[in-house]
Amino acid sequence: MTDDHVYLSLAEASPEPEGEGRWAYGTGFADPLLGVDTAVPPGLDGADLAAYCLMLGDDALVLAQRLIEWCTRAPELEEEVALANLGLDLLGQARQLLTRAGQADGSGRTEDDLAYWREDHEFRNVRLVEAPNGDFAYSIARLLLFATARGALYEGLAGHADPVLAAVAARGVKELAYHREYATAWTLRLGDGTPYSAARMQAGLDAVWPLVEELFTAHPVELRVGVDPAVLREPVLRSVAAVCAEAGLTVPDVPGLAAVGGRAGRDGVHTEALGPLLAELQVLARAHPGATW
Amino acid sequence: MAGTRASGGAAWAVAAAVPDPELPMLTLADLGVLAGVEEDGATVTAWLTPTYSGCPAVAEMAADVDRRLRAAGFADVRVRLRLDPPWSTDLITAEGRRKLAEAGIAPPRPGVLPGGGTAGGSTPVALGRTRLASDGKATGTAAGVAAGAAAGTAAVVPVACPLCGGTDTEELSRFGSTACKALWRCRECREPFERVKEI
């Protein structure tokens, strides 16, 4: 073989259609809900279901982006792999939820339309997930809170009337259990480690805390088609408090970050951190509209 | 929903023999991903249940099943995803577990659940075990919410080394080269090995 381009060489070695070498390129199958019944079940409002899937999907997409930012920057290679794995789980959940949102509202928008072609004020994620990564302790504190709360929420959604949402939640419960276990282990290691690591972990927890309350603040759409997040508040905070107690950390007692005129992430009112995050997330798709590979 | 796990048809045999893109020693049937195949005249519909939410191999699996069924002479092939019930490592067949071990990958332990209980639970919190010794007792850090204990399993099932069979093994990293695997080490033969995590 004379061609020194590795992918062209692969193509020559394994031509279509029998070639398993196609693995190197990806496929034309892009729909994460391939062949799944798209009808909205009777009794559910399609617009509400779409808005709800967008909220949960945006939470997962934005936190996935933050977790993946740790690649090449984590303190250990193993933690980079771990954080990227957790991000991949969330990205998979986001793909299904955004696809479901585009089906349920009748717009036919794809996951890519929704991920790459919306502006920051159209995103419906809670502000907790968009905050910059901070140090490792901050990222771990955020993950602990998010994974505990999202795992509990998915438990409540596993029997949802919408079969797609129910299926995403049923599998998500198990994935989030791993996320929570990972965050718990690091919270214990850092909190119950040296005085310096404990101080850093406490600072991370303190800095995350103002963004936590929004996880338990219901938007009307959540009350109509989802689980009221307010009911998760007590069990989730109790669980996090147990981790803090074991780690020798103090549960912060600080007020939540104020909403803007009663509006926050679920209404599209975000912190200034979301814009730059989306710029990086969306730049390739916007520079080359419609590109495929 | 149409489609069953029933095997025996010609189309089932073709789809069941498709190798997993990331664990090619296993077929999609071994892995429990092939959820059903339905033959209706010239039309074949194959259902796949994806593993992890973010598993990038799902599209490959669908493409491979589609291509092999067409190559086997089925003209009208439809590949569909079935999300319910969700995939679990408990769906990996006995044959699949044997092939994994043969390839040097420790198979998942049946009936063990991931994580440490639920948000509302009162499970004690502690660092997870890195070693599950052969006598069933945790070693290393404080005993706590290891997966097995939280799932209500009475005895902790040790992870056996797929290379030498030793049960004095320890976890090096919970997250490995793919979403479904963790990195372990055998303290008897000193070799590292991968293991498929329970989910």
Side-chain angles (χ1 to χ4, degrees), chain A:
Chain A
M1 227 170 296
T2 55
D3 201 304
D4 61 357
H5 192 291
V6 64
Y7 294 112
L8 291 179
S9 306
L10 268 175
E12 284 176 30
S14 309
E16 292 285 349
E18 69 275 16
E20 308 281 332
R22 187 181 26 70
W23 179 225
Y25 310 96
T27 68
F29 280 99
D31 181 358
L33 294 176
L34 180 70
V36 173
D37 186 6
T38 60
V40 175
L44 275 182
D45 181 76
D48 274 350
L49 177 63
Y52 191 53
C53 288
L54 207 55
M55 291 172 178
L56 303 186
D58 284 348
D59 285 346
L61 176 66
V62 172
L63 187 55
Q65 181 76 4
R66 285 295 185 215
L67 287 168
I68 289 162
E69 283 176 11
W70 274 107
C71 282
T72 74
R73 298 172 204 183
E76 303 264 353
L77 181 61
E78 285 78 4
E79 305 319 316
E80 249 169 44
V81 173
L83 292 164
N85 261 292
L86 305 186
L88 189 61
D89 286 342
L90 293 176
L91 187 62
Q93 294 165 19
R95 292 188 59 192
Q96 296 190 328
L97 289 166
L98 293 188
T99 301
R100 187 58 178 152
Q103 293 169 349
D105 68 7
S107 69
R109 286 180 293 177
T110 66
E111 49 172 331
D112 283 1
D113 294 335
L114 290 166
Y116 296 134
W117 297 97
R118 280 181 300 150
E119 306 299 322
D120 54 1
H121 63 87
E122 296 170 283
F123 274 73
R124 292 293 179 264
N125 56 280
V126 291
R127 294 174 295 179
L128 173 72
V129 295
E130 73 204 30
N133 276 338
D135 64 5
F136 188 72
Y138 180 91
S139 285
I140 290 298
R142 166 170 51 196
L143 188 63
L144 178 67
L145 266 303
F146 181 83
T148 307
R150 190 49 40 102
L153 178 66
Y154 279 162
E155 273 179 36
L157 288 174
H160 196 269
D162 180 56
V164 176
L165 188 53
V168 171
R171 189 166 42 173
V173 165
K174 301 204 279 184
E175 292 170 344
L176 267 296
Y178 272 115
H179 299 199
R180 178 167 159 259
E181 196 184 23
Y182 175 83
T184 298
W186 268 113
T187 304
L188 293 177
R189 253 182 232 121
L190 295 173
D192 198 18
T194 65
Y196 181 66
S197 73
R200 293 282 292 267
M201 191 64 228
Q202 184 67 54
L205 207 54
D206 291 348
V208 161
W209 213 258
L211 293 165
V212 170
E213 197 53 40
E214 197 178 336
L215 281 173
F216 310 120
T217 307
H219 183 280
V221 162
E222 292 173 278
L223 297 177
R224 288 200 294 269
V225 289
V227 168
D228 178 359
V231 305
L232 306 177
R233 190 174 191 282
E234 195 277 326
V236 168
L237 292 185
R238 179 155 40 87
S239 169
V240 170
V243 175
C244 289
E246 188 67 26
L249 298 165
T250 307
V251 176
D253 183 19
V254 291
L257 182 65
V260 181
R263 302 166 78 229
R266 293 281 188 242
D267 308 290
V269 176
H270 295 281
T271 64
E272 62 192 15
L274 183 61
L277 177 146
L278 291 179
E280 189 165 301
L281 176 80
Q282 297 174 333
V283 64
L284 194 66
R286 291 184 177 214
H288 304 279
T292 57
W293 61 80

Side-chain angles (χ1 to χ4, degrees), chain B residues 1 4 14 36 42 53 56-57 104 109 137 148 160 162-163 166 169 174:
Chain B
M1 197 182 286
T4 63
V14 172
S53 293
R109 296 161 295 165
K137 287 180 186 154
L163 305 168
T169 58
R174 175 67 49 86

Side-chain angles (χ1 to χ4, degrees), chain B residues 160-181:
Chain B
C161 170
L163 305 168
C164 75
T167 51
D168 186 8
T169 58
E170 65 182 342
E171 182 180 81
L172 295 179
S173 180
R174 175 67 49 86
F175 299 88
S177 59
T178 65
C180 53
K181 284 183 287 187

Side-chain angles (χ1 to χ4, degrees), chain B residues 44-64:
Chain B
V44 174
T45 308
W47 279 270
L48 303 180
T49 296
T51 57
Y52 282 73
S53 293
C55 179
V58 174
E60 287 304 313
M61 294 174 181
D64 287 345

